[in-house]
Short mmCIF file of all heavy atoms in Angstrom, two decimals:
data_model
loop_
_atom_site.label_atom_id
_atom_site.label_comp_id
_atom_site.label_asym_id
_atom_site.label_seq_id
_atom_site.Cartn_x
_atom_site.Cartn_y
_atom_site.Cartn_z
N MET M 125 -7.68 -3.64 -51.29
CA MET M 125 -8.39 -3.24 -50.07
C MET M 125 -7.80 -3.77 -48.87
O MET M 125 -7.95 -3.23 -47.78
CB MET M 125 -9.84 -3.41 -50.25
CG MET M 125 -10.63 -2.49 -51.21
SD MET M 125 -10.72 -0.85 -50.46
CE MET M 125 -11.47 -0.04 -51.69
N PRO M 126 -7.42 -5.02 -48.85
CA PRO M 126 -6.93 -5.68 -47.66
C PRO M 126 -5.74 -4.81 -46.97
O PRO M 126 -5.69 -4.82 -45.62
CB PRO M 126 -6.38 -7.09 -48.01
CG PRO M 126 -7.08 -7.34 -49.34
CD PRO M 126 -7.39 -5.93 -50.04
N SER M 127 -4.93 -4.21 -47.73
CA SER M 127 -3.86 -3.42 -47.15
C SER M 127 -4.32 -2.14 -46.35
O SER M 127 -4.02 -1.74 -45.26
CB SER M 127 -2.86 -2.94 -48.12
OG SER M 127 -3.44 -2.07 -49.17
N VAL M 128 -5.45 -1.60 -46.87
CA VAL M 128 -5.98 -0.37 -46.12
C VAL M 128 -6.74 -0.97 -44.73
O VAL M 128 -6.58 -0.34 -43.79
CB VAL M 128 -7.17 0.25 -47.02
CG1 VAL M 128 -7.91 1.25 -46.26
CG2 VAL M 128 -6.48 0.89 -48.20
N TYR M 129 -7.36 -2.07 -44.78
CA TYR M 129 -7.91 -2.61 -43.74
C TYR M 129 -6.84 -3.00 -42.65
O TYR M 129 -7.06 -2.74 -41.43
CB TYR M 129 -8.74 -3.89 -44.07
CG TYR M 129 -9.30 -4.68 -42.82
CD1 TYR M 129 -10.43 -4.32 -42.24
CD2 TYR M 129 -8.64 -5.79 -42.38
CE1 TYR M 129 -10.94 -4.88 -41.10
CE2 TYR M 129 -9.18 -6.56 -41.25
CZ TYR M 129 -10.24 -6.01 -40.69
OH TYR M 129 -10.75 -6.65 -39.52
N LYS M 130 -5.79 -3.60 -43.06
CA LYS M 130 -4.72 -3.90 -42.16
C LYS M 130 -4.08 -2.72 -41.63
O LYS M 130 -3.83 -2.70 -40.39
CB LYS M 130 -3.58 -4.74 -42.99
CG LYS M 130 -2.40 -5.33 -42.07
CD LYS M 130 -1.61 -6.09 -42.82
CE LYS M 130 -0.56 -6.75 -42.03
NZ LYS M 130 0.41 -7.70 -42.83
N TYR M 131 -3.94 -1.59 -42.32
CA TYR M 131 -3.41 -0.34 -41.70
C TYR M 131 -4.50 0.23 -40.82
O TYR M 131 -4.05 0.63 -39.58
CB TYR M 131 -3.39 0.65 -42.89
CG TYR M 131 -3.01 2.09 -42.25
CD1 TYR M 131 -1.70 2.25 -41.94
CD2 TYR M 131 -3.86 2.96 -42.22
CE1 TYR M 131 -1.39 3.63 -41.49
CE2 TYR M 131 -3.60 4.39 -41.78
CZ TYR M 131 -2.22 4.59 -41.44
OH TYR M 131 -1.97 5.83 -40.86
N LYS M 132 -5.72 0.19 -40.98
CA LYS M 132 -6.72 0.67 -39.91
C LYS M 132 -6.64 -0.20 -38.71
O LYS M 132 -6.88 0.39 -37.69
CB LYS M 132 -8.19 0.63 -40.60
CG LYS M 132 -8.41 1.62 -41.72
CD LYS M 132 -8.49 2.95 -41.12
CE LYS M 132 -8.84 3.92 -42.37
NZ LYS M 132 -8.88 5.36 -41.86
N GLN M 133 -6.62 -1.47 -38.90
CA GLN M 133 -6.51 -2.45 -37.74
C GLN M 133 -5.27 -2.10 -36.97
O GLN M 133 -5.31 -2.04 -35.79
CB GLN M 133 -6.51 -3.88 -38.25
CG GLN M 133 -6.58 -4.92 -37.20
CD GLN M 133 -6.76 -6.26 -37.75
OE1 GLN M 133 -6.16 -6.51 -38.81
NE2 GLN M 133 -7.32 -7.23 -37.05
N HIS M 134 -4.12 -1.95 -37.54
CA HIS M 134 -2.93 -1.56 -36.89
C HIS M 134 -3.03 -0.27 -36.09
O HIS M 134 -2.62 -0.06 -34.92
CB HIS M 134 -1.73 -1.46 -37.84
CG HIS M 134 -0.47 -1.12 -37.22
ND1 HIS M 134 0.16 -1.91 -36.32
CD2 HIS M 134 0.32 0.00 -37.31
CE1 HIS M 134 1.36 -1.44 -35.89
NE2 HIS M 134 1.38 -0.13 -36.57
N GLU M 135 -3.69 0.79 -36.74
CA GLU M 135 -3.82 2.08 -36.25
C GLU M 135 -4.68 2.03 -34.96
O GLU M 135 -4.48 2.65 -33.91
CB GLU M 135 -4.46 3.00 -37.30
CG GLU M 135 -4.59 4.40 -36.77
CD GLU M 135 -5.19 5.23 -37.90
OE1 GLU M 135 -4.72 5.35 -38.89
OE2 GLU M 135 -6.25 5.98 -37.65
N ALA M 136 -5.81 1.20 -35.01
CA ALA M 136 -6.68 0.92 -33.86
C ALA M 136 -5.91 0.35 -32.72
O ALA M 136 -5.99 0.79 -31.62
CB ALA M 136 -7.81 0.13 -34.33
N MET M 137 -5.06 -0.60 -32.95
CA MET M 137 -4.26 -1.34 -31.97
C MET M 137 -3.32 -0.35 -31.32
O MET M 137 -3.21 -0.34 -30.13
CB MET M 137 -3.55 -2.39 -32.51
CG MET M 137 -2.75 -3.22 -31.36
SD MET M 137 -1.69 -4.52 -32.27
CE MET M 137 -0.44 -3.52 -33.04
N MET M 138 -2.64 0.60 -32.06
CA MET M 138 -1.66 1.44 -31.59
C MET M 138 -2.40 2.50 -30.69
O MET M 138 -1.99 3.00 -29.65
CB MET M 138 -0.89 2.20 -32.68
CG MET M 138 0.02 1.19 -33.39
SD MET M 138 1.24 0.40 -32.35
CE MET M 138 2.21 1.88 -31.66
N ASN M 139 -3.62 2.94 -31.11
CA ASN M 139 -4.32 3.98 -30.38
C ASN M 139 -4.72 3.37 -29.02
O ASN M 139 -4.91 4.15 -28.00
CB ASN M 139 -5.55 4.37 -31.17
CG ASN M 139 -5.12 5.30 -32.32
OD1 ASN M 139 -4.22 5.91 -32.33
ND2 ASN M 139 -6.20 5.34 -33.25
N GLN M 140 -4.85 2.19 -28.92
CA GLN M 140 -5.26 1.54 -27.55
C GLN M 140 -4.01 1.37 -26.65
O GLN M 140 -4.22 1.27 -25.45
CB GLN M 140 -6.03 0.19 -27.80
CG GLN M 140 -7.30 0.34 -28.51
CD GLN M 140 -8.04 -1.11 -28.71
OE1 GLN M 140 -7.43 -2.01 -28.40
NE2 GLN M 140 -9.19 -0.92 -29.34
N SER M 141 -2.87 1.17 -27.25
CA SER M 141 -1.74 0.90 -26.40
C SER M 141 -0.87 2.03 -26.04
O SER M 141 0.03 1.87 -25.14
CB SER M 141 -0.87 -0.33 -26.99
OG SER M 141 -0.38 0.23 -28.36
N ILE M 142 -1.14 3.11 -26.61
CA ILE M 142 -0.25 4.34 -26.25
C ILE M 142 -1.24 5.58 -25.93
O ILE M 142 -2.13 5.89 -26.79
CB ILE M 142 0.67 4.74 -27.50
CG1 ILE M 142 1.68 3.50 -27.82
CG2 ILE M 142 1.39 6.04 -27.16
CD1 ILE M 142 2.46 3.97 -29.02
N LEU M 143 -1.06 6.05 -24.82
CA LEU M 143 -2.03 7.13 -24.36
C LEU M 143 -1.41 8.41 -24.21
O LEU M 143 -0.19 8.56 -24.02
CB LEU M 143 -2.62 6.76 -22.88
CG LEU M 143 -3.10 5.38 -22.79
CD1 LEU M 143 -3.32 5.13 -21.22
CD2 LEU M 143 -4.50 5.28 -23.57
N THR M 144 -2.20 9.44 -24.64
CA THR M 144 -1.81 10.93 -24.40
C THR M 144 -1.78 11.06 -22.89
O THR M 144 -2.41 10.28 -22.11
CB THR M 144 -2.79 11.81 -25.17
OG1 THR M 144 -4.04 11.66 -24.50
CG2 THR M 144 -2.84 11.54 -26.52
N LEU M 145 -1.23 12.12 -22.51
CA LEU M 145 -1.18 12.47 -21.11
C LEU M 145 -2.64 12.62 -20.59
O LEU M 145 -2.94 12.30 -19.42
CB LEU M 145 -0.34 13.76 -20.77
CG LEU M 145 1.18 13.45 -20.88
CD1 LEU M 145 1.89 14.73 -20.42
CD2 LEU M 145 1.71 12.30 -20.05
N GLU M 146 -3.52 13.33 -21.39
CA GLU M 146 -4.83 13.51 -20.99
C GLU M 146 -5.63 12.30 -20.83
O GLU M 146 -6.30 12.06 -19.92
CB GLU M 146 -5.48 14.51 -22.13
CG GLU M 146 -6.93 14.96 -21.65
CD GLU M 146 -6.95 15.76 -20.36
OE1 GLU M 146 -6.04 16.36 -20.06
OE2 GLU M 146 -8.03 15.70 -19.66
N ASN M 147 -5.24 11.45 -21.78
CA ASN M 147 -6.06 10.10 -21.59
C ASN M 147 -5.56 9.32 -20.39
O ASN M 147 -6.32 8.62 -19.64
CB ASN M 147 -5.87 9.16 -22.93
CG ASN M 147 -6.56 9.87 -24.08
OD1 ASN M 147 -7.39 10.58 -23.96
ND2 ASN M 147 -6.07 9.30 -25.19
N ALA M 148 -4.29 9.35 -20.05
CA ALA M 148 -3.70 8.65 -18.91
C ALA M 148 -4.29 9.23 -17.63
O ALA M 148 -4.68 8.60 -16.63
CB ALA M 148 -2.17 8.76 -18.88
N ARG M 149 -4.30 10.66 -17.61
CA ARG M 149 -4.84 11.30 -16.57
C ARG M 149 -6.26 10.98 -16.30
O ARG M 149 -6.60 10.73 -15.05
CB ARG M 149 -4.61 12.86 -16.74
CG ARG M 149 -5.07 13.73 -15.57
CD ARG M 149 -5.37 15.09 -15.96
NE ARG M 149 -6.60 15.37 -16.77
CZ ARG M 149 -7.70 15.15 -16.35
NH1 ARG M 149 -8.00 14.92 -15.11
NH2 ARG M 149 -8.82 15.33 -17.29
N ALA M 150 -7.07 11.03 -17.28
CA ALA M 150 -8.43 10.53 -17.07
C ALA M 150 -8.61 9.19 -16.70
O ALA M 150 -9.59 8.84 -15.73
CB ALA M 150 -9.22 10.84 -18.32
N GLU M 151 -7.84 8.24 -17.13
CA GLU M 151 -7.94 6.83 -16.68
C GLU M 151 -7.48 6.65 -15.31
O GLU M 151 -8.06 5.88 -14.35
CB GLU M 151 -6.99 5.98 -17.62
CG GLU M 151 -7.21 4.51 -17.22
CD GLU M 151 -6.76 3.65 -18.49
OE1 GLU M 151 -6.94 3.97 -19.57
OE2 GLU M 151 -6.30 2.55 -18.16
N LEU M 152 -6.46 7.28 -14.75
CA LEU M 152 -6.09 7.29 -13.37
C LEU M 152 -6.86 8.14 -12.44
O LEU M 152 -6.68 8.00 -11.19
CB LEU M 152 -4.60 7.72 -13.30
CG LEU M 152 -3.59 6.73 -13.90
CD1 LEU M 152 -2.15 7.19 -14.04
CD2 LEU M 152 -3.57 5.32 -13.35
N LEU M 153 -7.68 9.03 -13.03
CA LEU M 153 -8.48 9.95 -12.21
C LEU M 153 -7.62 10.86 -11.20
O LEU M 153 -7.84 10.88 -10.12
CB LEU M 153 -9.51 9.12 -11.25
CG LEU M 153 -10.45 8.27 -12.22
CD1 LEU M 153 -11.35 7.46 -11.24
CD2 LEU M 153 -11.32 9.09 -13.00
N ILE M 154 -6.61 11.42 -11.96
CA ILE M 154 -5.65 12.34 -11.17
C ILE M 154 -5.63 13.54 -11.90
O ILE M 154 -5.97 13.66 -13.17
CB ILE M 154 -4.40 11.69 -10.83
CG1 ILE M 154 -3.66 11.30 -12.19
CG2 ILE M 154 -4.43 10.45 -9.98
CD1 ILE M 154 -2.27 10.71 -12.04
N SER M 155 -5.10 14.56 -11.21
CA SER M 155 -4.88 15.90 -11.80
C SER M 155 -3.72 15.83 -12.73
O SER M 155 -2.79 15.06 -12.77
CB SER M 155 -4.57 16.99 -10.75
OG SER M 155 -3.40 16.88 -10.17
N ARG M 156 -3.57 16.90 -13.58
CA ARG M 156 -2.45 17.07 -14.67
C ARG M 156 -1.14 17.30 -13.80
O ARG M 156 -0.14 16.58 -14.14
CB ARG M 156 -2.70 18.20 -15.44
CG ARG M 156 -1.75 18.30 -16.63
CD ARG M 156 -2.09 19.37 -17.61
NE ARG M 156 -3.05 20.20 -17.20
CZ ARG M 156 -3.45 21.40 -17.85
NH1 ARG M 156 -2.82 21.78 -18.86
NH2 ARG M 156 -4.45 22.12 -17.35
N THR M 157 -1.12 18.01 -12.63
CA THR M 157 -0.07 18.29 -11.89
C THR M 157 0.46 16.94 -11.18
O THR M 157 1.58 16.74 -11.19
CB THR M 157 -0.29 19.28 -10.79
OG1 THR M 157 -0.80 20.50 -11.40
CG2 THR M 157 0.94 19.56 -9.98
N HIS M 158 -0.35 16.22 -10.68
CA HIS M 158 -0.06 14.97 -10.15
C HIS M 158 0.59 13.99 -11.02
O HIS M 158 1.47 13.26 -10.82
CB HIS M 158 -1.25 14.26 -9.43
CG HIS M 158 -0.98 13.11 -8.50
ND1 HIS M 158 -1.82 12.58 -7.66
CD2 HIS M 158 0.14 12.34 -8.46
CE1 HIS M 158 -1.31 11.54 -6.97
NE2 HIS M 158 -0.03 11.37 -7.39
N LEU M 159 -0.10 13.89 -12.32
CA LEU M 159 0.65 12.98 -13.32
C LEU M 159 1.94 13.50 -13.63
O LEU M 159 2.84 12.72 -13.56
CB LEU M 159 -0.30 13.11 -14.58
CG LEU M 159 0.18 12.24 -15.80
CD1 LEU M 159 0.15 10.68 -15.30
CD2 LEU M 159 -0.74 12.48 -16.94
N TRP M 160 2.25 14.78 -13.75
CA TRP M 160 3.62 15.28 -14.08
C TRP M 160 4.48 14.85 -12.91
O TRP M 160 5.72 14.54 -13.14
CB TRP M 160 3.55 16.80 -14.33
CG TRP M 160 3.32 17.00 -15.81
CD1 TRP M 160 2.14 17.49 -16.40
CD2 TRP M 160 4.15 16.73 -16.94
NE1 TRP M 160 2.38 17.71 -17.76
CE2 TRP M 160 3.50 17.14 -18.10
CE3 TRP M 160 5.44 16.12 -17.10
CZ2 TRP M 160 4.09 16.93 -19.33
CZ3 TRP M 160 5.97 16.02 -18.27
CH2 TRP M 160 5.31 16.42 -19.41
N ASN M 161 4.00 14.98 -11.84
CA ASN M 161 4.97 14.77 -10.59
C ASN M 161 5.33 13.31 -10.54
O ASN M 161 6.47 12.93 -10.26
CB ASN M 161 4.18 15.15 -9.26
CG ASN M 161 4.10 16.64 -9.06
OD1 ASN M 161 4.98 17.37 -9.70
ND2 ASN M 161 3.17 17.12 -8.11
N LEU M 162 4.31 12.37 -10.89
CA LEU M 162 4.64 10.93 -11.00
C LEU M 162 5.70 10.69 -12.14
O LEU M 162 6.64 9.86 -11.90
CB LEU M 162 3.36 10.19 -11.28
CG LEU M 162 2.40 10.05 -10.18
CD1 LEU M 162 1.03 9.49 -10.60
CD2 LEU M 162 2.95 9.27 -8.96
N ILE M 163 5.52 11.38 -13.24
CA ILE M 163 6.52 11.15 -14.40
C ILE M 163 7.83 11.70 -13.94
O ILE M 163 8.91 11.00 -14.10
CB ILE M 163 6.03 11.82 -15.56
CG1 ILE M 163 4.82 11.14 -16.16
CG2 ILE M 163 7.13 11.87 -16.63
CD1 ILE M 163 4.04 11.85 -17.25
N ARG M 164 7.88 12.82 -13.40
CA ARG M 164 9.25 13.38 -13.05
C ARG M 164 9.94 12.59 -11.91
O ARG M 164 11.19 12.52 -11.98
CB ARG M 164 9.11 14.89 -12.44
CG ARG M 164 8.71 15.83 -13.61
CD ARG M 164 8.74 17.34 -13.16
NE ARG M 164 8.32 18.08 -14.38
CZ ARG M 164 7.23 18.87 -14.34
NH1 ARG M 164 6.38 18.91 -13.29
NH2 ARG M 164 6.93 19.65 -15.51
N SER M 165 9.22 12.05 -11.01
CA SER M 165 9.87 11.32 -9.98
C SER M 165 10.21 9.88 -10.34
O SER M 165 10.91 9.06 -9.70
CB SER M 165 8.76 11.05 -8.69
OG SER M 165 7.75 10.25 -9.12
N GLY M 166 9.80 9.42 -11.53
CA GLY M 166 10.21 8.12 -12.16
C GLY M 166 9.21 7.06 -11.69
O GLY M 166 9.38 5.99 -12.03
N LYS M 167 8.04 7.43 -10.98
CA LYS M 167 7.22 6.34 -10.54
C LYS M 167 6.31 5.94 -11.71
O LYS M 167 5.76 4.78 -11.74
CB LYS M 167 6.28 6.96 -9.51
CG LYS M 167 7.11 7.05 -8.22
CD LYS M 167 6.15 7.61 -7.14
CE LYS M 167 6.97 8.01 -5.88
NZ LYS M 167 6.17 8.55 -4.87
N LEU M 168 6.18 6.79 -12.84
CA LEU M 168 5.43 6.44 -13.98
C LEU M 168 6.31 6.85 -15.18
O LEU M 168 6.80 7.89 -15.30
CB LEU M 168 4.09 7.27 -14.03
CG LEU M 168 3.03 6.93 -15.02
CD1 LEU M 168 2.51 5.38 -14.86
CD2 LEU M 168 1.88 7.86 -14.91
N LYS M 169 6.55 5.80 -16.03
CA LYS M 169 7.51 6.07 -17.14
C LYS M 169 6.81 6.60 -18.30
O LYS M 169 5.68 5.95 -18.70
CB LYS M 169 8.28 4.79 -17.48
CG LYS M 169 9.10 4.30 -16.36
CD LYS M 169 9.77 3.02 -16.74
CE LYS M 169 10.62 2.49 -15.41
NZ LYS M 169 11.01 1.09 -15.68
N ALA M 170 7.23 7.50 -18.95
CA ALA M 170 6.67 8.13 -20.16
C ALA M 170 7.82 8.23 -21.22
O ALA M 170 9.01 8.14 -20.99
CB ALA M 170 6.08 9.50 -19.84
N PHE M 171 7.46 8.59 -22.53
CA PHE M 171 8.47 8.85 -23.43
C PHE M 171 7.85 9.99 -24.44
O PHE M 171 6.67 10.25 -24.41
CB PHE M 171 8.66 7.54 -24.36
CG PHE M 171 7.46 7.02 -25.01
CD1 PHE M 171 7.23 7.30 -26.34
CD2 PHE M 171 6.56 6.16 -24.41
CE1 PHE M 171 6.15 6.84 -27.03
CE2 PHE M 171 5.45 5.74 -25.00
CZ PHE M 171 5.21 6.02 -26.39
N LYS M 172 8.79 10.58 -25.05
CA LYS M 172 8.53 11.60 -25.97
C LYS M 172 8.52 11.25 -27.50
O LYS M 172 9.38 10.47 -27.85
CB LYS M 172 9.47 12.82 -25.74
CG LYS M 172 9.18 13.52 -24.42
CD LYS M 172 10.29 14.75 -24.27
CE LYS M 172 9.52 15.86 -24.82
NZ LYS M 172 10.39 17.12 -24.75
N VAL M 173 7.57 11.78 -28.09
CA VAL M 173 7.62 11.57 -29.61
C VAL M 173 7.51 13.00 -30.15
O VAL M 173 6.51 13.69 -29.99
CB VAL M 173 6.26 10.91 -30.16
CG1 VAL M 173 6.35 10.85 -31.63
CG2 VAL M 173 6.23 9.53 -29.48
N GLY M 174 8.66 13.58 -30.53
CA GLY M 174 8.76 14.96 -30.82
C GLY M 174 8.54 15.78 -29.49
O GLY M 174 9.31 15.52 -28.60
N ARG M 175 7.57 16.59 -29.54
CA ARG M 175 7.32 17.44 -28.34
C ARG M 175 6.17 16.87 -27.60
O ARG M 175 5.82 17.49 -26.55
CB ARG M 175 6.92 18.84 -28.80
CG ARG M 175 8.07 19.57 -29.50
CD ARG M 175 7.71 20.90 -30.02
NE ARG M 175 7.03 21.74 -28.97
CZ ARG M 175 6.42 23.01 -29.16
NH1 ARG M 175 6.51 23.51 -30.43
NH2 ARG M 175 5.89 23.58 -28.30
N CYS M 176 5.69 15.75 -28.01
CA CYS M 176 4.46 15.08 -27.23
C CYS M 176 4.93 14.01 -26.38
O CYS M 176 5.84 13.23 -26.71
CB CYS M 176 3.53 14.62 -28.27
SG CYS M 176 2.80 15.71 -29.42
N VAL M 177 4.33 13.93 -25.09
CA VAL M 177 4.64 13.06 -24.08
C VAL M 177 3.44 11.96 -24.17
O VAL M 177 2.33 12.30 -24.18
CB VAL M 177 4.90 13.60 -22.78
CG1 VAL M 177 5.10 12.63 -21.75
CG2 VAL M 177 5.90 14.68 -22.74
N ARG M 178 3.92 10.69 -24.18
CA ARG M 178 3.04 9.57 -24.26
C ARG M 178 3.33 8.61 -23.18
O ARG M 178 4.48 8.42 -22.68
CB ARG M 178 3.04 8.95 -25.65
CG ARG M 178 2.79 9.66 -26.76
CD ARG M 178 1.32 10.02 -26.87
NE ARG M 178 0.99 10.72 -27.99
CZ ARG M 178 0.60 12.02 -28.11
NH1 ARG M 178 0.71 12.72 -26.92
NH2 ARG M 178 0.26 12.63 -29.21
N ILE M 179 2.49 7.75 -22.80
CA ILE M 179 2.44 6.68 -21.89
C ILE M 179 1.85 5.44 -22.35
O ILE M 179 0.81 5.49 -22.96
CB ILE M 179 1.87 7.08 -20.52
CG1 ILE M 179 2.46 8.35 -19.92
CG2 ILE M 179 1.97 6.00 -19.45
CD1 ILE M 179 1.77 8.92 -18.67
N THR M 180 2.61 4.30 -22.20
CA THR M 180 1.99 3.10 -22.83
C THR M 180 0.84 2.46 -21.87
O THR M 180 0.92 2.76 -20.58
CB THR M 180 3.15 1.95 -22.91
OG1 THR M 180 3.63 1.62 -21.69
CG2 THR M 180 4.16 2.49 -23.97
N ARG M 181 -0.05 1.72 -22.42
CA ARG M 181 -1.07 1.15 -21.57
C ARG M 181 -0.38 0.19 -20.62
O ARG M 181 -0.83 0.09 -19.42
CB ARG M 181 -1.92 0.34 -22.56
CG ARG M 181 -2.88 -0.64 -21.88
CD ARG M 181 -4.10 -0.05 -21.22
NE ARG M 181 -4.88 0.81 -22.17
CZ ARG M 181 -5.65 1.79 -21.80
NH1 ARG M 181 -5.73 1.98 -20.46
NH2 ARG M 181 -6.31 2.52 -22.63
N GLY M 182 0.69 -0.53 -21.04
CA GLY M 182 1.25 -1.47 -19.99
C GLY M 182 1.84 -0.63 -18.80
O GLY M 182 1.78 -1.27 -17.73
N GLU M 183 2.42 0.47 -18.99
CA GLU M 183 2.90 1.26 -17.89
C GLU M 183 1.76 1.65 -17.02
O GLU M 183 1.95 1.56 -15.82
CB GLU M 183 3.68 2.53 -18.49
CG GLU M 183 4.32 3.39 -17.40
CD GLU M 183 5.35 2.55 -16.56
OE1 GLU M 183 5.82 1.57 -16.96
OE2 GLU M 183 5.67 3.15 -15.50
N ILE M 184 0.69 2.01 -17.46
CA ILE M 184 -0.44 2.40 -16.65
C ILE M 184 -0.86 1.20 -15.78
O ILE M 184 -1.11 1.23 -14.65
CB ILE M 184 -1.61 2.83 -17.53
CG1 ILE M 184 -1.35 4.14 -18.14
CG2 ILE M 184 -2.96 3.15 -16.71
CD1 ILE M 184 -1.13 5.37 -17.38
N ASP M 185 -1.14 0.08 -16.46
CA ASP M 185 -1.34 -1.27 -15.82
C ASP M 185 -0.30 -1.57 -14.77
O ASP M 185 -0.68 -2.01 -13.56
CB ASP M 185 -1.54 -2.40 -16.86
CG ASP M 185 -2.73 -2.19 -17.72
OD1 ASP M 185 -3.66 -1.36 -17.42
OD2 ASP M 185 -2.66 -2.84 -18.79
N ARG M 186 1.00 -1.42 -15.01
CA ARG M 186 1.97 -1.70 -14.05
C ARG M 186 1.84 -0.87 -12.76
O ARG M 186 2.02 -1.25 -11.66
CB ARG M 186 3.33 -1.60 -14.69
CG ARG M 186 4.53 -1.89 -13.82
CD ARG M 186 5.91 -1.18 -14.10
NE ARG M 186 5.74 0.10 -14.04
CZ ARG M 186 5.83 0.97 -12.97
NH1 ARG M 186 5.78 0.46 -11.75
NH2 ARG M 186 5.86 2.22 -12.99
N PHE M 187 1.67 0.45 -13.06
CA PHE M 187 1.51 1.38 -12.03
C PHE M 187 0.30 1.06 -11.13
O PHE M 187 0.47 1.17 -9.91
CB PHE M 187 1.44 2.85 -12.60
CG PHE M 187 1.29 3.95 -11.53
CD1 PHE M 187 2.43 4.35 -10.92
CD2 PHE M 187 0.01 4.44 -11.33
CE1 PHE M 187 2.21 5.33 -9.83
CE2 PHE M 187 -0.11 5.40 -10.36
CZ PHE M 187 1.03 5.91 -9.54
N ILE M 188 -0.65 0.72 -11.79
CA ILE M 188 -1.97 0.43 -10.93
C ILE M 188 -1.64 -0.76 -10.06
O ILE M 188 -1.89 -0.90 -8.91
CB ILE M 188 -3.20 0.28 -11.87
CG1 ILE M 188 -3.60 1.62 -12.42
CG2 ILE M 188 -4.28 -0.43 -11.04
CD1 ILE M 188 -4.65 1.52 -13.44
N SER M 189 -1.07 -1.81 -10.70
CA SER M 189 -0.72 -3.12 -9.98
C SER M 189 0.31 -2.87 -8.86
O SER M 189 0.01 -3.45 -7.64
CB SER M 189 -0.17 -4.10 -11.03
OG SER M 189 -1.11 -4.55 -11.86
N ALA M 190 1.21 -2.01 -9.04
CA ALA M 190 2.26 -1.79 -8.09
C ALA M 190 1.67 -0.87 -6.85
O ALA M 190 2.31 -0.98 -5.76
CB ALA M 190 3.42 -1.05 -8.68
N ASN M 191 0.61 -0.20 -7.07
CA ASN M 191 0.10 0.66 -5.97
C ASN M 191 -1.28 0.26 -5.51
O ASN M 191 -1.88 1.07 -4.90
CB ASN M 191 0.00 2.18 -6.58
CG ASN M 191 1.36 2.70 -6.86
OD1 ASN M 191 2.10 2.99 -5.91
ND2 ASN M 191 1.77 2.75 -8.10
N GLN M 192 -1.51 -1.11 -5.63
CA GLN M 192 -2.82 -1.47 -5.05
C GLN M 192 -2.72 -1.80 -3.56
O GLN M 192 -1.65 -2.12 -3.04
CB GLN M 192 -3.18 -2.79 -5.68
CG GLN M 192 -3.72 -2.85 -7.11
CD GLN M 192 -4.13 -3.93 -7.61
OE1 GLN M 192 -4.02 -5.07 -7.01
NE2 GLN M 192 -4.93 -3.96 -8.72
N ILE M 193 -3.79 -1.32 -2.86
CA ILE M 193 -3.81 -1.65 -1.47
C ILE M 193 -4.41 -2.93 -1.09
O ILE M 193 -5.48 -3.25 -1.72
CB ILE M 193 -4.62 -0.48 -0.74
CG1 ILE M 193 -3.91 0.83 -1.09
CG2 ILE M 193 -4.76 -0.63 0.77
CD1 ILE M 193 -4.73 2.05 -0.51
N SER M 194 -3.76 -3.75 -0.20
CA SER M 194 -4.29 -5.09 0.09
C SER M 194 -5.59 -5.00 0.90
O SER M 194 -5.83 -4.36 1.62
CB SER M 194 -3.18 -5.80 0.83
OG SER M 194 -2.06 -6.00 0.14
#
Protein backbone atom coordinates (compact mmCIF):
# COMPACT_ATOMS: atom_id res chain seq x y z
CA MET A 1 0.00 0.00 0.00
CA PRO A 2 2.75 2.57 0.60
CA SER A 3 3.59 2.65 -3.12
CA VAL A 4 -0.01 3.56 -4.01
CA TYR A 5 0.01 6.32 -1.41
CA LYS A 6 3.32 7.63 -2.77
CA TYR A 7 1.90 7.62 -6.31
CA LYS A 8 -1.21 9.56 -5.19
CA GLN A 9 0.97 12.06 -3.32
CA HIS A 10 3.16 12.56 -6.39
CA GLU A 11 0.08 12.92 -8.61
CA ALA A 12 -1.38 15.59 -6.31
CA MET A 13 1.91 17.49 -6.34
CA MET A 14 2.08 17.41 -10.14
CA ASN A 15 -1.50 18.61 -10.46
CA GLN A 16 -0.63 21.66 -8.39
CA SER A 17 2.51 22.57 -10.28
CA ILE A 18 1.31 22.19 -13.89
CA LEU A 19 -1.78 24.04 -15.06
CA THR A 20 -4.03 23.64 -18.06
CA LEU A 21 -4.65 26.78 -20.08
CA GLU A 22 -8.15 27.01 -18.61
CA ASN A 23 -6.77 26.87 -15.05
CA ALA A 24 -4.08 29.45 -15.85
CA ARG A 25 -6.67 31.71 -17.50
CA ALA A 26 -8.96 31.48 -14.49
CA GLU A 27 -6.11 32.18 -12.08
CA LEU A 28 -4.94 35.24 -14.03
CA LEU A 29 -8.54 36.41 -14.59
CA ILE A 30 -7.96 37.01 -18.31
CA SER A 31 -9.65 35.87 -21.50
CA ARG A 32 -8.55 32.88 -23.53
CA THR A 33 -7.50 35.21 -26.37
CA HIS A 34 -5.37 37.34 -24.04
CA LEU A 35 -3.70 34.22 -22.64
CA TRP A 36 -2.85 32.99 -26.13
CA ASN A 37 -1.47 36.43 -27.05
CA LEU A 38 0.80 36.36 -23.97
CA ILE A 39 2.06 32.90 -24.93
CA ARG A 40 2.64 33.79 -28.58
CA SER A 41 4.48 37.00 -27.67
CA GLY A 42 6.78 35.08 -25.29
CA LYS A 43 5.68 37.01 -22.20
CA LEU A 44 4.30 33.80 -20.71
CA LYS A 45 6.14 30.52 -21.34
CA ALA A 46 4.14 27.38 -22.03
CA PHE A 47 4.98 23.88 -23.22
CA LYS A 48 3.20 21.15 -25.11
CA VAL A 49 2.51 17.61 -24.03
CA GLY A 50 1.26 15.95 -27.17
CA ARG A 51 -1.46 18.29 -28.39
CA CYS A 52 -2.10 19.83 -24.97
CA VAL A 53 -0.52 23.11 -23.87
CA ARG A 54 0.43 23.50 -20.22
CA ILE A 55 1.92 26.24 -18.02
CA THR A 56 3.88 25.68 -14.83
CA ARG A 57 2.83 27.27 -11.55
CA GLY A 58 6.28 28.85 -11.33
CA GLU A 59 5.78 30.56 -14.69
CA ILE A 60 2.46 32.01 -13.52
CA ASP A 61 4.13 33.28 -10.33
CA ARG A 62 7.03 34.75 -12.35
CA PHE A 63 4.65 36.52 -14.71
CA ILE A 64 2.65 38.00 -11.83
CA SER A 65 5.82 39.21 -10.06
CA ALA A 66 7.24 40.73 -13.24
CA ASN A 67 4.03 42.65 -13.95
CA GLN A 68 3.26 44.10 -10.54
CA ILE A 69 2.55 47.80 -10.32
CA SER A 70 4.46 49.62 -7.58
